[in-house]
Amino acid sequence: MSKFIISAFADEIDANLDTQMDVLDQHGIKHIEMRGVNGKLLVDYSLEEVKEIKKKIDARGFKLSAIGSPLGKIKITDDFEPHLELFKHTLEIAKIMECKYIRMFSFFIPKGEDPGNYRDEVMKRWKSFIETAEGNGVILLHENESGIYGDTPERCLDLLKTVNSDYFKGIFDFANFVQCKAKNYPDGFELLQDYIEYIHVKDAVYSDGRVVPAGEGDGNVVEILQVLHRNGYEGFLSLEPHLWNYKDYSLLEPNSPGYDLPEGGAKSFAVAVKALKNILEDIK
């Protein structure tokens, strides 16, 4: 039997942490994939400031599902040493936040160039991350993202197999694969399923890459969640709505969270939550 735990990038609701937690509470969500806090990236705070953030979320009964870091989201040609220092700082943040997972990327490849030309450097940098993280009790999660080395299922698999570490796993992001014209199911999912540790929930359409609520695009969200359910997946489904320009609120019912709100982050977030919960109700 599967156990899906809903989490979210709460900074898409609002920049303010208190507002983020207020809205998440309305939806019964008690986990945050923490990226932005009060208008600043979590990884850019000092350790003393992070301790204060931890106190605030503890007081409200929230936990982190992951640190939504920007690590690996620089050019592969950029200097790596300052980035490795930021990674070391992020490891300390993970300890304070009692967080097992750190979301990361595999470096932007120069536009128009063959990613294979930079493969060795990508692997070298990721092995440095792994060596540095050893003994810290964290699992590094690679997110597939357009423009980085690990943008397609095939290159994600190459990275995961080559680095080959028990504390290096994959995030499956439905929309990001669609935006790279990959076929999520069965192709991409079956290729990566042994490495998938964490799910990012957003959907997109092939025609223009537009992000839509889960189940309304070409990301095979329903099919893949059904397989995960049958396979006994126990882990996070982290909402990353990206519905900034989405104006269809028909999923929201009277008296439901978000229904009476004006257009904005909290209302768009309510649409994303409702779309996912509808899918999960049908699966279960």
Side-chain angles (χ1 to χ4, degrees):
M1 194 68 177
S2 67
K3 183 182 180 185
F4 292 137
I5 305 166
I6 300 177
S7 181
F9 283 84
D11 57 357
E12 294 199 17
I13 296 169
D14 193 271
N16 181 272
L17 179 58
D18 290 324
T19 304
Q20 292 175 16
M21 293 189 289
D22 289 343
V23 172
L24 289 173
D25 265 335
Q26 290 168 12
H27 292 283
I29 297 171
K30 299 301 290 188
H31 287 85
I32 301 171
E33 182 162 347
M34 192 169 274
R35 177 175 54 194
V37 185
N38 297 326
K40 181 175 169 180
L41 291 177
L42 177 64
V43 299
D44 289 337
Y45 281 96
S46 71
L47 298 183
E48 288 306 310
E49 290 170 324
V50 170
K51 288 174 185 175
E52 293 305 310
I53 294 170
K54 180 68 163 64
K55 287 178 187 174
K56 291 195 79 168
I57 67 169
D58 281 351
R60 294 283 299 269
F62 284 88
K63 295 180 179 180
L64 263 59
S65 62
I67 294 173
S69 88
L71 290 157
K73 216 170 187 181
I74 60 170
K75 295 175 184 175
I76 191 63
T77 52
D78 287 342
D79 185 10
F80 182 56
E81 284 308 312
H83 209 57
L84 190 59
E85 289 306 309
L86 179 62
F87 176 63
K88 292 174 184 175
H89 179 66
T90 305
L91 289 174
E92 294 304 312
I93 291 174
K95 287 179 189 174
I96 293 167
M97 300 302 281
E98 299 180 280
C99 184
K100 176 181 176 182
Y101 296 120
I102 301 174
R103 182 278 302 263
M104 300 171 64
F105 301 89
S106 55
F107 305 98
F108 287 113
I109 304 300
K111 202 167 183 179
E113 294 196 34
D114 179 1
N117 294 340
Y118 297 93
R119 180 184 183 277
D120 289 350
E121 182 62 21
V122 170
M123 301 304 169
K124 178 184 172 185
R125 291 182 176 198
W126 259 98
K127 286 175 181 177
S128 292
F129 286 145
I130 294 295
E131 288 167 7
T132 305
E134 194 163 1
N136 278 272
V138 297
I139 293 175
L140 311 184
L141 298 174
H142 175 262
E143 177 179 348
N144 55 290
E145 166 94 358
S146 179
I148 64 173
Y149 182 81
D151 56 353
T152 64
E154 292 77 14
R155 278 195 290 273
C156 287
L157 182 64
D158 178 36
L159 178 62
L160 288 157
K161 286 181 77 171
T162 302
V163 174
N164 187 29
S165 169
D166 289 339
Y167 40 96
F168 179 39
K169 301 293 181 181
I171 292 172
F172 197 97
D173 188 304
F174 302 97
N176 289 357
F177 276 142
V178 170
Q179 291 169 341
C180 294
K181 306 300 183 187
K183 187 176 180 183
N184 280 349
Y185 190 80
D187 306 33
F189 177 76
E190 290 188 351
L191 199 65
L192 294 169
Q193 62 181 337
D194 291 344
Y195 296 91
I196 296 168
E197 180 87 7
Y198 196 98
I199 304 292
H200 274 176
V201 180
K202 61 179 184 286
D203 206 347
V205 294
Y206 282 126
S207 58
D208 58 5
R210 182 170 35 91
V211 176
V212 294
E216 295 185 14
D218 297 312
N220 303 111
V221 175
V222 175
E223 294 92 330
I224 291 171
L225 290 182
Q226 285 174 333
V227 174
L228 288 170
H229 177 62
R230 286 198 302 269
N231 292 348
Y233 174 84
E234 294 188 4
F236 292 104
L237 306 179
S238 185
L239 281 160
E240 189 182 15
H242 282 17
L243 296 177
W244 300 296
N245 299 313
Y246 191 83
K247 305 299 181 189
D248 180 358
Y249 303 110
S250 58
L251 277 177
L252 301 180
E253 299 166 352
N255 302 315
S256 68
Y259 180 79
D260 293 321
L261 292 176
E263 288 186 5
K267 188 161 191 145
S268 297
F269 183 78
V271 172
V273 174
K274 183 61 176 169
L276 175 58
K277 286 185 174 180
N278 284 350
I279 292 170
L280 296 181
E281 283 171 14
D282 287 343
I283 289 174
K284 295 174 181 179

